[in-house]
Amino acid sequence: MSMPITSLPPHHRVSPPSPTTYISANKDRYFSNHPTILLINRSSNSKQLKQIHAQMLRNGLFYDPFSASTLVSAFALSSVQDIDYAHKLFDQIPQPNTYTWNTLIRAYSSSQTPIQSLLIFTQMIYQCNEVLPNKFTFPFVIKAAAELLDRRVGEVVHGMVVKMSLGSDVFVLNSLIHFYESCGCLDSAYKVFLNIPVRDVVSWNSMITGFAQGDSPDEALKLFHEMQREGFRPDEVTMMSVLTACTKKLDLEVGRWVHSNIEKNGIRGSLNLNNALVDMYVKCGSVEDAQKLFDKMPEKDIVSWTTMLVGYARSGHYVTARRHFESMPSQDIAAWNALISACEQSGNAKEALAIFNELQVSNKAAPDGVTLVSTLSACAQVGAMDMGGWIHVYIKKHKIKLTCHLITSLIDMYSKCGDLNKALEVFNSSDDKDVFVWSAMIAGFAMHGHGRDAIGLFKKMQESNIKPNGVTFTNLLCACSHTGLLQDGRDFFKKMEPVYGITPGVKHYACMVDMLGRAGHLEEAISLIKSMPMPPLASVYGALLGACKLHGNVEVAEQASARLLELEPWNHGAYVLLSNIYAKSGKWDKVANLRKQMKDVGLKKEPGCSSVEVNGTVHEFVVGDNTHAQSKLIYGKLNEVFEKLKSNGYEPNRSQVLQCVEEEDMQEQALHLHSEKLAIAFGLISLTKSQPIRVMKNLRVCRDCHNVAKMISEVYDREILLRDRYRFHHFKAGDCSCKDYW
DNA sequence: ATAGGGTTAG
């Protein structure tokens, strides 16, 4: 063997050196036993293949279509995977046959650039006097169209299939089913499926998979039964798709049945199938079953370990999850992601941020888009904007792909941390916005009380032909509610079903009840609740109760809280609201009674907790907190603040102190100790005047704190942003962005 | 000589 060819001349077709040397096409098979061909088939490295190429050029074997094709396919499809080289080779072949074309189209269809498949296919058709596509060509081309999610291309190819009389080839039709499913056209896929003259297992599997992965797990299960009725034996892939359906349905019983069905059918419990089973048990809520299977799996891979980790983490077994994580053979980024997202989703955002930091310091894996989505969401929860901004920079620096998911998270983080302008900047700079991106921005406007902007954005969204979903409407109605845009809200709600095809859910009703109640239309709110087609959730009564407090309606409040406590006996918010309503109307006996009830049930008022971020560190304060290192300074500042405010006419508003403190000065003290006041005081001493004080609170802000914040913003000339459980308050020059409508 | 279907983290 001699010099390898490392570079080939520019793409152009060369003619064979001497036509007499070659054997005609019908004797192609002669070469399949040629030593060089055998060598190609045994060769698995690129250098060796290139040497063979050189030899074939010299001895002329390259100009035999069969031999050249074998070489192309070795480069394109074997472990060598050098498609570029294969393509260059292809361009050198004088008369590629259909097999050669197919090889290249096939290689590209599962490459990073499936579009190349389509381009080569087009070339192939334009030279139709030489060769024609055959039944092998189409599955590759259709696969490329599926990869590209190009519905139009696929439909055109489908047309060609029919014209070329391949419309009943089961391989081609199975690919078409898969294609239509990846483009989200389950109906078309099903039509193809129904029209297959003789189906095979793959036809059934493809269709079951389509239903399972789409939003029709019930259809998938139905088809699974039908398949068995028609005498087909399910295989491993069938069972995996059926498990996907169970997982979607969150139906443990059906899942267990499938598990036994697998054993009954004698399907080999492969690694993949076992992984799918573990995943089903985890998602359907039985970590015990998942663990039982995991423990006896003969072979485990990183997916098995990660799935089990997710199981522990989601079920709240954090210590077990951590131990499992430590004992994993290797911790890839997916494992870290599972840990981070589990913390973030179970409301333990601080822990999620700690783990992210640990990942950064350990340098064991590189954060990817998924990591950042979870971490940003944790930042949003605790209001850690410095950290969130740092991640934004990280994304740019490491050129992490800005998916819609990531953009949504960034918008959400900036909005929830109080920087609506940054959120808008991200929104405006993204050129490919999906429904979630739009919805997140609408939510941003909503929580900052920019109702008109939210409505304006909703209109723009429609001009961009993005269809709103249920979440979009929740955010939109929420925006109307916060800004008191009663009529707009009513209109949107009315149009949801007939115009946008979205059935109002409990959340939408809760928004409407809140909107109507807040605006004083209690009767309308009550009759809306009565008209609900589904049982109202606690949030609906919670909204009504809030409205009662605002408008001092004791009778309705009693009914609403009774219903609320039926649903959620542990809901302290209900007790506190009702107690405040009683207190406001002077019904002290009822207040005392309620307090006793709370004690009997063993409920304590959820402690108020506020945090403020200073130079990247989030400082947390609970009511009457004295654990902070600068506690003395903070209380000193607080006293100074009250002196100053009093000389400016401040009077404490005690209406919302839970009446467990009878003495007046004690009440005043309790008021002064509210966590948001501590956080604001800390902000005053540790931030410069140009930095807004951003406070995040777990409960609703009380009247008095709201009032104090307004005054501080004027007297100290500071900007204060306060996020409570419900919305943002933006205090500036003595006013609040909520215009006291909250 | 060539083909189609499936599992983890948001």
Side-chain angles (χ1 to χ4, degrees):
Chain A
M1 226 162 279
S2 59
M3 289 282 293
I5 301 287
T6 48
S7 64
L8 285 163
H11 298 184
H12 66 279
R13 305 228 174 271
V14 280
S15 311
S18 143
T20 51
T21 331
Y22 306 100
I23 293 117
S24 61
N26 59 0
K27 285 193 186 165
D28 270 1
R29 282 185 184 281
Y30 173 75
F31 287 96
S32 62
N33 285 322
H34 191 286
T36 307
I37 299 301
L38 295 175
L39 195 60
I40 293 176
N41 290 331
R42 261 183 289 142
S43 173
S44 58
N45 76 65
S46 156
K47 197 177 165 196
Q48 209 179 1
L49 282 176
K50 285 176 183 173
Q51 283 176 338
I52 298 171
H53 177 205
Q55 196 192 37
M56 286 170 71
L57 282 171
R58 275 190 302 126
N59 66 17
L61 199 61
F62 186 74
Y63 301 98
D64 159 56
F66 178 88
S67 309
S69 299
T70 309
L71 191 62
V72 170
S73 110
F75 273 106
L77 301 171
S78 75
S79 54
V80 171
Q81 283 286 353
D82 190 342
I83 304 189
D84 288 342
Y85 198 92
H87 197 161
K88 284 175 188 165
L89 275 181
F90 177 84
D91 284 340
Q92 301 297 322
I93 300 175
Q95 266 141 10
N97 60 23
T98 303
Y99 173 81
T100 327
W101 284 98
N102 290 351
T103 303
L104 201 62
I105 293 173
R106 175 188 176 192
Y108 274 122
S109 72
S110 46
S111 74
Q112 298 294 311
T113 50
I115 185 90
Q116 286 289 339
S117 281
L118 301 180
L119 296 174
I120 292 164
F121 177 64
T122 320
Q123 274 179 41
M124 184 184 191
I125 312 172
Y126 278 116
Q127 323 181 355
C128 59
N129 43 347
E130 293 172 32
V131 286
L132 279 174
N134 61 10
K135 62 175 180 173
F136 295 107
T137 318
F138 286 101
F140 303 137
V141 175
I142 295 166
K143 181 174 184 198
E147 292 285 320
L148 290 165
L149 301 175
D150 196 325
R151 187 173 164 178
R152 268 190 39 228
V153 167
E155 282 168 348
V156 169
V157 174
H158 190 169
M160 294 172 72
V161 164
V162 175
K163 273 194 187 162
M164 294 188 66
S165 313
L166 291 170
S168 50
D169 184 283
V170 71
F171 278 87
V172 175
L173 293 175
N174 289 348
S175 334
L176 278 168
I177 293 177
H178 174 71
F179 158 76
Y180 281 118
E181 285 163 1
S182 16
C183 296
C185 313
L186 274 182
D187 290 349
S188 307
Y190 195 54
K191 256 186 225 156
V192 175
F193 174 79
L194 289 177
N195 285 322
I196 301 179
V198 183
R199 291 177 203 139
D200 64 8
V201 189
V202 177
S203 318
W204 289 95
N205 288 352
S206 304
M207 202 58 233
I208 292 173
T209 304
F211 281 133
Q213 292 184 340
D215 260 338
S216 323
D218 287 317
E219 297 297 317
L221 291 169
K222 233 167 75 188
L223 216 59
F224 173 60
H225 292 298
E226 202 180 318
M227 165 184 187
Q228 286 176 300
R229 267 203 307 279
E230 296 204 6
F232 284 90
R233 238 188 102 184
D235 65 6
E236 192 192 330
V237 177
T238 320
M239 298 326 281
M240 294 192 53
S241 299
V242 173
L243 283 173
T244 305
C246 299
T247 305
K248 276 259 165 81
K249 272 171 66 80
L250 304 177
D251 193 328
L252 184 60
E253 283 319 302
V254 183
R256 286 204 175 113
W257 175 79
V258 173
H259 192 170
S260 64
N261 194 283
I262 290 171
E263 286 161 3
K264 205 180 73 199
N265 272 299
I267 295 167
R268 200 177 54 89
S270 72
L271 173 63
N272 285 346
L273 190 52
N274 281 333
N275 283 348
L277 275 166
V278 172
D279 180 53
M280 180 277 293
Y281 281 127
V282 161
K283 298 250 172 74
C284 295
S286 176
V287 206
E288 296 78 19
D289 284 285
Q291 189 178 351
K292 237 186 261 166
L293 180 60
F294 178 83
D295 286 343
K296 63 176 194 201
M297 277 168 66
E299 192 197 346
K300 291 167 193 155
D301 66 358
I302 188 83
V303 174
S304 335
W305 282 90
T306 309
T307 310
M308 203 56 232
L309 172 60
V310 171
Y312 292 131
R314 280 202 197 161
S315 58
H317 296 97
Y318 186 70
V319 179
T320 317
R322 187 72 214 203
R323 208 186 310 131
H324 182 87
F325 176 82
E326 303 294 348
S327 56
M328 284 175 77
S330 70
Q331 291 121 345
D332 65 354
I333 191 61
W336 286 92
N337 290 348
L339 213 53
I340 293 175
S341 82
C343 288
E344 175 264 305
Q345 289 192 343
S346 59
N348 198 351
K350 275 187 285 180
E351 181 67 21
L353 292 180
I355 298 169
F356 178 74
N357 280 327
E358 191 188 330
L359 167 66
Q360 280 296 106
V361 173
S362 77
N363 221 358
K364 280 186 187 141
D368 63 6
V370 178
T371 326
L372 302 178
V373 166
S374 306
T375 311
L376 281 170
S377 166
C379 292
Q381 279 180 45
V382 299
M385 195 165 77
D386 290 345
M387 177 77 153
W390 182 88
I391 291 177
H392 195 181
V393 173
Y394 184 97
I395 291 169
K396 287 181 191 160
K397 207 170 122 191
H398 293 262
K399 297 196 169 57
I400 298 207
K401 191 160 189 264
L402 259 184
T403 58
C404 283
H405 215 123
L406 208 42
I407 291 170
T408 305
S409 301
L410 279 169
I411 293 173
D412 185 60
M413 182 275 293
Y414 279 125
S415 311
K416 286 188 179 152
C417 290
D419 200 332
L420 197 56
N421 286 329
K422 275 264 173 54
L424 256 176
E425 228 172 75
V426 173
F427 177 80
N428 288 327
S429 68
S430 76
D431 30 41
D432 199 20
K433 306 178 180 77
D434 68 3
V435 59
F436 295 99
V437 173
W438 285 93
S439 304
M441 199 60 238
I442 291 174
F445 280 135
M447 71 182 93
H448 285 272
H450 296 232
R452 287 270 160 236
D453 291 325
I455 293 174
L457 202 65
F458 179 71
K459 289 191 175 132
K460 264 199 200 158
M461 172 178 174
Q462 285 170 287
E463 287 161 18
S464 312
N465 285 322
I466 303 291
K467 261 180 70 182
N469 61 18
V471 177
T472 320
F473 273 98
T474 308
N475 300 343
L476 188 62
L477 293 176
C478 186
C480 295
S481 175
H482 286 342
T483 327
L485 297 170
L486 191 61
Q487 204 41 51
D488 294 271
R490 281 193 188 116
D491 288 345
F492 284 126
F493 185 73
K494 237 183 270 164
K495 284 187 201 155
M496 277 181 70
E497 183 113 50
V499 179
Y500 300 98
I502 297 162
T503 315
V506 181
K507 279 192 177 169
H508 304 112
Y509 278 97
C511 276
M512 287 310 291
V513 170
D514 181 75
M515 185 191 309
L516 294 166
R518 188 177 298 277
H521 298 263
L522 280 178
E523 288 305 318
E524 197 180 336
I526 293 166
S527 66
L528 186 70
I529 295 178
K530 284 184 181 152
S531 77
M532 284 174 68
M534 70 288 277
L537 289 182
S539 56
V540 176
Y541 293 118
L544 187 61
L545 192 56
C548 292
K549 190 196 141 203
L550 198 62
H551 299 286
N553 189 321
V554 179
E555 294 92 290
V556 180
E558 283 175 334
Q559 290 173 30
S561 59
R563 293 295 183 81
L564 180 49
L565 290 170
E566 271 169 33
L567 295 167
E568 290 184 355
W570 60 88
N571 190 319
H572 11 56
Y575 284 103
V576 174
L577 270 176
L578 190 59
S579 154
N580 285 338
I581 295 168
Y582 284 144
K584 200 171 169 185
S585 50
K587 298 188 185 337
W588 300 110
D589 50 329
K590 296 213 170 183
V591 174
N593 212 349
L594 211 56
R595 216 187 311 148
K596 188 177 168 297
Q597 260 184 48
M598 268 180 95
K599 225 184 227 167
D600 293 347
V601 189
L603 270 182
K604 282 192 185 125
K605 185 181 185 287
E606 187 182 345
C609 176
S610 300
S611 63
V612 60
E613 192 184 39
V614 172
N615 299 326
T617 308
V618 177
H619 299 256
E620 230 178 45
F621 300 89
V622 292
V623 206
D625 202 314
N626 52 14
T627 58
H628 194 275
Q630 286 171 277
S631 204
K632 275 204 176 129
L633 271 176
I634 295 169
Y635 281 103
K637 187 69 183 181
L638 214 48
N639 280 334
E640 176 214 302
V641 168
F642 283 116
E643 288 313 311
K644 233 180 182 175
L645 295 195
K646 274 184 183 156
S647 63
N648 278 270
Y650 163 71
E651 265 190 48
N653 177 342
R654 295 185 194 87
S655 68
Q656 286 174 340
V657 182
L658 182 62
Q659 305 297 321
C660 45
V661 210
E662 266 79 15
E663 300 82 12
E664 281 222 342
D665 57 327
M666 288 285 279
Q667 280 182 19
E668 192 175 322
Q669 229 175 53
L671 260 184
H672 288 184
L673 298 179
H674 273 182
S675 61
E676 53 269 58
K677 293 194 181 93
L678 297 175
I680 293 173
F682 181 63
L684 282 174
I685 54 178
S686 43
L687 292 166
T688 63
K689 269 203 171 179
S690 64
Q691 295 172 292
I693 302 171
R694 294 179 295 108
V695 176
M696 313 288 150
K697 188 177 184 201
N698 63 338
L699 305 172
R700 296 286 296 274
V701 60
C702 81
R703 273 283 158 213
D704 187 65
C705 287
H706 194 262
N707 203 12
V708 167
K710 279 204 286 192
M711 292 185 79
I712 293 178
S713 74
E714 188 175 23
V715 175
Y716 286 85
D717 187 26
R718 290 280 197 147
E719 214 179 316
I720 301 170
L721 283 157
L722 191 137
R723 182 181 90 188
D724 71 4
R725 176 174 275 203
Y726 200 65
R727 60 165 294 160
F728 261 101
H729 299 269
H730 196 154
F731 303 98
K732 207 175 168 180
D735 275 320
C736 179
S737 60
C738 75
K739 302 192 174 67
D740 296 340
Y741 188 82
W742 53 287

